Amino acid sequence: MDHQPKFFENLSGTGKAIGVLTSGGDAQGMNAAVRAVVRMGIYVKAKVYFVYEGYQGMVDGGDNIVEVSWESVSSILQVGGTVIGSARCKSFRTREGRLQAAYNLVQRGITNLCVIGGDGSLTGANLFREEWSGLLEELAQKGKIDQEAVKKYAYLNIVGMVGSIDNDFCGTDMTIGTDSALHRIIEVVDAIMTTAQSHQRTFVLEVMGRHCGYLALVSALACGADWVFIPEYPPEEGWEDSMCVKLSENRARKKRLNIIIVAEGAIDCHNKPITSEKVKDLVVQRLGFDTRVTILGHVQRGGTPSAFDRILASRMGVEAVLALLEGTPDTPACVVSLSGNQAVRLPLMECVQMTQEVQKAMDEGRFVEAVRLRGRSFENNLNTYKLLSHKKPDAELPKTNFNVAVLNVGAPAAGMNAAVRAAVRVGITEGHKMFAVIDGFEGFSRGKIKEISWGDVGGWTGQGGSILGTKRTLPAKYLEKIADQMRTNNINALMVIGGFEAYLGLLELSAAREKYDEFCVPMVMVPATVSNNVPGSDFSIGADTALNTITDAYESCLQLHEARSRFEEFCVPICVLPATISNNVPGTDFSIGADTALNAIVETCDRIKQSASGTKRRVFIIETMGGYCGYLANMGALAAGADAAYIFEEQFDIRELQANVEHLTEKMKTSIQRGLVLRNENCNENYTTDFIYQLYSEEGKGVFDCRKNVLGHMQQGGAPSPFDRNFGTKISAKAMQWISKKLKETYRKGKVFANTDDSVCLLGMRRRNLVFQPVAELKNETDFVHRIPMEQWWLKLRPLMKILAKYKTSYDVSDSGQLEHVAMHSPKEAETGAI
Ligand code: ADP
Ligand code: ADP
């Protein structure tokens, strides 16, 4: 492997001209992509041109193709749709039209095109590239351009970005716009739920997606719908009966509302459309339920782009420019896309062909294959939905006699409840008895634990906060009592959903069991030692000190048989799911709740920025949460288009502050007269939010004025975002399946005995995969004093924020660059890695 970091400063766009256009259906986030392409293009000293109105503008030329400046794309990041216009263009489908388009580009010296659109638009782009030299020859023959131009502009580089709410494009896990569309759908579902509750109604909700069921499927997962119809998974023959039975059963359980989601392209197994009207008529005729149809339509394409879409589009836009700069006559047209959390480049035509294969498979009734072709993420969503929505009759469930407890630890985070729901339901499906612990480890020690059933967690996906109750208390103080409870309730496995405390908690538990079982050293007086030895006990630092103290105590104490056997209770499989808004848990790129918090921050920043639209020259200083972890500040800044983000991970000094103020002063001279600065709450002890506010106020006197906002607990509250609901649901389902496997592996002679490191794991998403990592191994990757992972992936995106805010910086692009191939994944891969 090549370990030489590659920096993009060496790439220059001098002399190059890049055209950017949006085509086909619009989608939220397209503007963010356009902004990133323009700014990155200008940053590398290329000329950048808007091509207005998609291919139509390219064919028409004239004012439709104009060179743009840095300021041309200011204040569009938060705007939905596409400001440069999109269109469907008939003439581009003809060679005549493309000839004209080629002429218009050559005239301006544009040989690099960045196309943001769906598979149609990208197919057109590819054709254009293939024909390019022929088109130039023809133009030369007709005397419209000279031979020199034919030579000079011999090659056309094409890079595509997929902008479409449908998420129907193979090769990328998410298309730009999908997440925002999910936001719109979930907002509507949440609103409908309250009215449906009041009237005992059934709602049939039709969502967009053309021939792709992604939006419908993920919405169904995110709101716990009763039934979902998607094209890739047509219901079995006789579905009318099964659906009605299910609906009436749910009503009999006093459930006051039913939600049925229908994808616009839904079909039955004979390829006949299933429409929302048809479903409604069925419910009314057979069951006589009060039933309403809501067709969401273009609402789904509207509104502001979500934080995720803005970040995705910004990342992809920058990557697209890099791909154009690195393009050679031999590289095929490519799309920049997302695999897990990784930006990748794929040959455009491979993706398009795979996408068309899906349609072919569906047309021919090969539905299992269609699902596989959609990709592992789609398949995983479908499997999770199937797992959670249908409870098998008790008689059909396996019986394992294992008891599994679920608890929340740390501060509440949106999506925790979805995770609990999934854990409980998957656990029950696997045949375990599920227990809920109230109020974290503290509640556990007090015996606040009870069995929880399938129905108890109904409707939990959309609820914010933690329904079980969560506490920051670590278990070390209560080891003995917790062990008691584990024994009394015969708990065979633990699932802990929470933030850094959850992780620390597990380290403590696993330390306890290691010492007692393997090394046979006792735990005399541990609780007392902990509390006496933690001076001042700042939570974060105290936790680590306590941990070391325990370890010291173990090593110096005598063997105590009694204690050891007491702590055998902890020799069970234990899994922690990262759930915290701060996203500071080691071993995972994302934690449950961070996306919701990020959206809250970004929405607020939008509002704050807008509040100044009449007032000129104002800079806002905004303080975000996160402890020492700068994730929220940094990513919030990227998504909100901020000028600076102060974080602990990248220390700054007075010179940097001064440079930032000067930068803003310069900016105020342009047409952009608003500034936004984010500051993480713990980024620096002395450069407090007040200090920065005062510094900016003083230095900006006469040029701009300042306002400050501390966002506070609004970041922890609110309804969970679609991503957090689904991420919580999916990783929790996966964790529970892992627990089942470990239970089987470690069950011997009538009891569960798991004492190895790999039975206490954290399930996290790393780059492209979900991985189980022993918490003990993660110790080496953790900065316990500041409660952050030593390496954080998003720091790599920090230069990106600076570039887009017009700072000169250095950007390590070693990760990108290789062209990969679209591969159909194996079913096994879908099981292990997908998210
Ligand atoms: P989407 O990009 O969202 O799939 P369309 O399929 O409508 O949307 O394509 C948008 C535009 O791309 C079309 O109006 C047309 O101008 C161009 N286009 C699509 N397919 C082709 C093709 N096979 N050849 C040339 N141009 C095409
Ligand atoms: P959520 O809204 O979280 O999905 P629901 O109450 O809608 O919760 O349950 C989803 C599905 O689970 C229902 O459609 C039903 O089939 C099944 N289900 C829920 N509770 C029970 C139960 N107590 N017994 C049998 N099936 C149940």
Side-chain angles (χ1 to χ4, degrees):
M1 261 203 57
D2 182 9
H3 286 293
Q4 282 280 314
K6 185 171 86 185
F7 291 98
F8 88 124
E9 294 89 305
N10 308 328
L11 294 171
S12 164
T14 312
K16 294 194 175 172
I18 301 172
V20 55
L21 64 114
T22 52
S23 168
D26 67 320
Q28 306 96 324
M30 279 183 161
N31 287 325
V34 170
R35 170 179 179 267
V37 171
V38 169
R39 295 204 162 165
M40 185 65 176
I42 294 175
Y43 188 93
V44 297
K45 303 197 170 61
K47 285 185 173 178
V48 186
Y49 291 79
F50 275 168
V51 179
Y52 286 105
E53 312 303 331
Y55 290 126
Q56 193 64 53
M58 210 154 90
V59 175
D60 295 346
D63 289 348
N64 289 299
I65 309 176
V66 293
E67 193 182 342
V68 291
S69 70
W70 190 273
E71 286 77 26
S72 309
V73 287
S74 85
S75 304
I76 64 166
L77 185 59
Q78 69 277 15
V79 182
T82 162
V83 294
I84 59 175
S86 181
R88 310 230 189 249
C89 168
K90 274 215 181 94
S91 53
F92 194 73
R93 289 180 186 270
T94 65
R95 191 177 158 93
E96 211 41 54
R98 294 191 291 273
L99 190 68
Q100 189 57 37
Y103 175 69
N104 288 329
L105 294 189
V106 167
Q107 279 221 311
R108 294 162 179 81
I110 302 173
T111 52
N112 294 281
L113 261 194
C114 185
V115 180
I116 309 165
D119 58 340
S121 308
L122 298 182
T123 310
N126 190 61
L127 184 64
F128 192 44
R129 179 182 196 271
E130 282 170 359
E131 286 181 352
W132 182 257
S133 53
L135 293 172
L136 294 203
E137 284 299 338
E138 193 175 331
L139 286 171
Q141 275 165 20
K142 289 185 173 161
K144 294 184 103 175
I145 58 172
D146 54 27
Q147 276 303 330
E148 203 181 318
V150 176
K151 244 200 226 135
K152 191 168 173 203
Y153 305 117
Y155 302 104
L156 179 69
N157 283 319
I158 298 252
V159 171
M161 270 183 267
V162 198
S164 157
I165 64 164
D166 303 337
N167 208 20
D168 56 355
F169 194 80
C170 292
T172 186
D173 283 353
M174 286 298 267
T175 57
I176 296 168
T178 307
D179 186 60
S180 306
L182 284 172
H183 272 259
R184 293 300 93 73
I185 297 171
I186 295 305
E187 279 157 21
V188 171
V189 175
D190 283 354
I192 280 181
M193 284 212 172
T194 39
T195 147
Q197 288 277 12
S198 321
H199 294 278
Q200 296 216 19
R201 273 189 180 141
T202 298
F203 267 90
V204 181
L205 201 75
E206 185 178 311
V207 303
M208 279 187 168
R210 289 198 284 183
H211 300 291
C212 179
Y214 184 88
L215 287 179
L217 176 59
V218 174
S219 312
L221 256 177
C223 69
D226 295 81
W227 201 278
V228 62
F229 294 99
I230 58 170
E232 294 86 351
Y233 182 61
E236 285 164 17
E237 202 87 57
W239 59 268
E240 293 89 343
D241 297 332
S242 348
M243 186 182 81
C244 290
V245 167
K246 192 168 175 205
L247 292 180
S248 46
E249 274 177 10
N250 284 353
R251 271 298 160 86
R253 289 188 294 112
K254 300 213 168 52
K255 188 175 171 182
R256 295 176 63 92
L257 82 159
N258 307 106
I259 302 252
I260 301 170
I261 296 187
V262 186
E264 81 182 312
I267 44 173
D268 65 15
C269 52
H270 305 294
N271 256 319
K272 290 226 174 60
I274 295 178
T275 62
S276 38
E277 275 306 317
K278 188 169 161 187
V279 174
K280 175 196 160 185
D281 293 345
L282 188 78
V283 177
V284 172
Q285 278 162 19
R286 297 249 189 125
L287 301 169
F289 289 175
D290 188 1
T291 306
R292 300 296 146 101
V293 173
T294 300
I295 297 177
L296 284 182
H298 284 78
V299 164
Q300 295 160 87
R301 285 214 188 138
T304 56
S306 66
F308 177 87
D309 272 332
R310 297 183 201 192
I311 294 166
L312 174 70
S314 302
R315 284 174 77 178
M316 296 301 132
V318 168
E319 181 68 23
V321 173
L322 290 177
L324 285 174
L325 292 185
E326 290 175 349
T328 67
D330 301 326
T331 33
C334 72
V335 272
V336 290
S337 68
L338 190 73
S339 171
N341 185 26
Q342 185 77 24
V344 294
R345 293 179 199 171
L346 297 167
L348 193 155
M349 274 335 275
E350 280 182 27
C351 300
V352 169
Q353 274 155 8
M354 185 82 106
T355 306
Q356 288 163 353
E357 282 294 313
V358 184
Q359 191 55 48
K360 214 167 128 213
M362 287 197 287
D363 291 343
E364 292 168 6
R366 289 177 284 124
F367 293 105
V368 177
E369 205 182 330
V371 168
R372 275 188 61 201
L373 286 163
R374 279 266 184 250
R376 51 183 203 158
S377 155
F378 189 95
E379 189 169 11
N380 195 37
N381 281 318
L382 184 57
N383 290 340
T384 313
Y385 181 78
K386 286 196 256 178
L387 199 60
L388 295 173
S389 62
H390 302 262
K391 180 174 188 281
K392 284 194 194 144
D394 284 342
E396 282 177 32
L397 288 176
K399 269 273 160 290
T400 61
N401 290 322
F402 291 131
N403 295 341
V404 181
V406 184
L407 65 160
N408 290 164
V409 175
M416 276 183 161
N417 301 320
V420 174
R421 168 178 174 269
V424 168
R425 291 198 169 173
V426 175
I428 290 172
T429 308
E430 308 253 304
H432 316 316
K433 221 186 218 182
M434 297 301 298
F435 287 79
V437 175
I438 316 297
D439 294 341
F441 285 118
E442 194 177 319
F444 203 178
S445 72
R446 300 214 173 104
K448 290 194 186 174
I449 173 168
K450 58 168 199 229
E451 197 183 337
I452 183 163
S453 72
W454 184 280
D456 291 340
V457 291
W460 279 29
T461 38
Q463 311 270 338
S466 158
I467 300 176
L468 290 185
T470 178
K471 280 239 156 53
R472 294 193 143 201
T473 327
L474 291 166
K477 278 206 272 189
Y478 304 107
L479 285 177
E480 209 164 331
K481 286 188 172 156
I482 294 172
D484 274 353
Q485 288 299 330
M486 302 250 319
R487 193 175 47 245
T488 324
N489 295 288
N490 192 18
I491 299 300
N492 307 112
L494 276 186
M495 171 108 117
V496 184
I497 302 163
F500 206 83
E501 282 88 4
Y503 163 64
L504 284 179
L506 289 210
L507 273 178
E508 290 182 356
L509 288 189
S510 73
R513 84 180 193 190
E514 260 176 36
K515 295 300 166 190
Y516 287 96
D517 279 303
E518 282 186 340
F519 305 117
C520 299
V521 269
M523 59 131 249
V524 179
M525 304 298 292
V526 166
T529 325
V530 174
S531 37
N532 291 345
N533 274 2
V534 186
S537 189
D538 172 350
F539 211 96
S540 52
I541 302 164
D544 181 40
T545 319
L547 192 66
N548 292 332
T549 317
I550 296 167
T551 318
D552 296 348
Y554 290 148
E555 266 148 19
S556 59
C557 287
L558 287 168
Q559 191 172 350
L560 255 192
H561 229 88
E562 231 182 352
R564 186 179 70 173
S565 63
R566 257 209 319 273
F567 283 78
E568 241 176 42
E569 275 69 38
F570 298 132
C571 293
V572 296
I574 304 179
C575 188
V576 63
L577 294 184
T580 162
I581 65 162
S582 310
N583 201 23
N584 62 337
V585 183
T588 187
D589 288 357
F590 294 109
S591 53
I592 303 167
D595 183 61
T596 307
L598 199 56
N599 275 296
I601 292 170
V602 171
E603 273 164 36
T604 311
C605 287
D606 284 355
R607 285 189 193 197
I608 289 175
K609 259 176 133 177
Q610 201 183 29
S611 76
S613 58
T615 337
K616 299 225 151 137
R617 298 185 180 158
R618 181 165 283 176
V619 174
F620 294 96
I621 317 285
I622 295 175
E623 183 189 296
T624 63
M625 283 186 166
Y628 284 98
C629 179
Y631 178 81
L632 290 177
N634 190 64
M635 299 307 264
L638 183 57
D643 298 281
Y646 299 115
I647 58 172
F648 168 77
E649 290 88 342
E650 194 180 294
Q651 280 302 306
F652 51 98
D653 57 15
I654 194 69
R655 278 169 292 278
E656 177 139 2
L657 288 171
Q658 186 182 353
N660 291 155
V661 173
E662 282 163 9
H663 189 84
L664 277 168
T665 310
E666 280 305 304
K667 184 174 168 184
M668 295 299 161
K669 291 182 189 155
T670 69
S671 57
I672 322 172
Q673 305 197 328
R674 278 168 292 167
L676 187 67
V677 172
L678 270 64
R679 180 189 175 276
N680 160 262
E681 58 182 354
N682 287 353
C683 67
N684 186 298
E685 211 180 326
N686 295 312
Y687 297 142
T688 60
T689 302
D690 278 329
F691 176 90
I692 288 178
Y693 165 67
Q694 282 162 0
L695 178 91
Y696 273 68
S697 300
E698 181 62 28
E699 298 298 320
K701 248 183 201 165
V703 185
F704 57 81
D705 64 0
C706 281
R707 295 288 184 273
K708 87 176 168 190
N709 289 271
V710 176
L711 298 184
H713 282 79
M714 59 151 300
Q715 296 162 87
Q716 277 183 20
S721 69
F723 178 83
D724 279 332
R725 296 180 195 203
N726 288 320
F727 184 53
T729 301
K730 283 191 284 187
I731 65 169
S732 181
K734 191 145 277 184
M736 192 47 78
Q737 288 168 332
W738 176 86
I739 284 182
S740 298
K741 196 173 115 226
K742 286 281 162 198
L743 280 170
K744 272 183 214 127
E745 280 171 17
T746 56
Y747 182 74
R748 263 176 227 112
K749 298 197 190 122
K751 71 183 234 192
V752 172
F753 188 80
N755 61 345
T756 51
D757 276 354
D758 68 356
S759 59
V760 188
C761 279
L762 180 139
L763 174 55
M765 179 181 170
R766 289 206 126 167
R767 280 170 163 238
R768 299 188 192 189
N769 292 311
L770 282 179
V771 271
F772 290 92
Q773 303 149 93
V775 288
E777 278 176 21
L778 291 173
K779 257 158 89 173
N780 304 332
E781 300 180 21
T782 312
D783 168 355
F784 285 97
V785 175
H786 300 103
R787 297 156 59 89
I788 48 176
M790 287 183 190
E791 269 189 42
Q792 308 197 79
W793 67 272
W794 50 266
L795 282 170
K796 281 206 165 158
L797 299 186
R798 202 162 154 73
L800 219 140
M801 182 209 89
K802 292 187 185 169
I803 289 168
L804 297 177
K806 216 176 182 173
Y807 281 95
K808 284 267 170 279
T809 182
S810 144
Y811 184 29
D812 177 358
V813 291
S814 323
D815 275 354
S816 62
Q818 296 93 339
L819 195 66
E820 301 187 7
H821 290 280
V822 192
M824 190 146 113
H825 65 278
S826 65
K828 192 152 179 302
E829 196 187 341
E831 241 168 59
T832 51
I835 168 76

